[in-house]
Amino acid sequence: MADVEAVAELRAVVLRPDLERLGRYDEQRVRQRLRDGFTPAHTWMIEVDGAVAGCVALRPAKDTYWLEHFYLDRICRARASVLPF
């Protein structure tokens, strides 16, 4: 089960560059929007080397799941972009 404050902080860090570029970053609002709709039972943390690297939240619906949140730390995104496929 995920901790709302850990996920809110991750969201704020991950979204900050894009929201600032758009002139839309608000330190409290970015966290509060997540808190307002957070469901711990539907959220899983992603860990790399024992540290929080991201999270994913899947909301169940009839015969499907909706991707509610997916945040991945910038360091992990950089590591993934150099993986050979």
Side-chain angles (χ1 to χ4, degrees):
M1 215 151 65
D3 171 47
V4 66
E5 293 308 316
V7 177
E9 184 60 27
L10 176 66
R11 180 181 196 267
V13 169
V14 169
L15 293 181
R16 185 175 190 146
D18 293 324
L19 291 174
E20 283 181 337
R21 185 173 36 81
L22 297 169
R24 304 278 310 199
Y25 185 77
D26 178 303
E27 194 165 318
Q28 282 75 41
R29 186 169 186 251
V30 70
R31 290 169 176 84
Q32 192 59 48
R33 286 197 62 188
L34 179 113
R35 289 181 195 117
D36 290 345
F38 184 73
T39 307
H42 301 157
T43 307
W44 293 267
M45 301 306 287
I46 300 166
E47 293 185 5
V48 175
D49 298 328
V52 173
C55 74
V56 62
L58 298 170
R59 179 177 45 89
K62 184 180 179 185
D63 300 324
T64 194
Y65 288 89
W66 289 95
L67 179 63
E68 290 282 303
H69 303 284
F70 177 63
Y71 307 114
L72 191 58
D73 184 85
R74 295 177 69 82
I75 293 170
C76 292
R77 287 187 281 170
R79 286 174 62 182
S81 68
V82 298
L83 294 175
F85 291 98

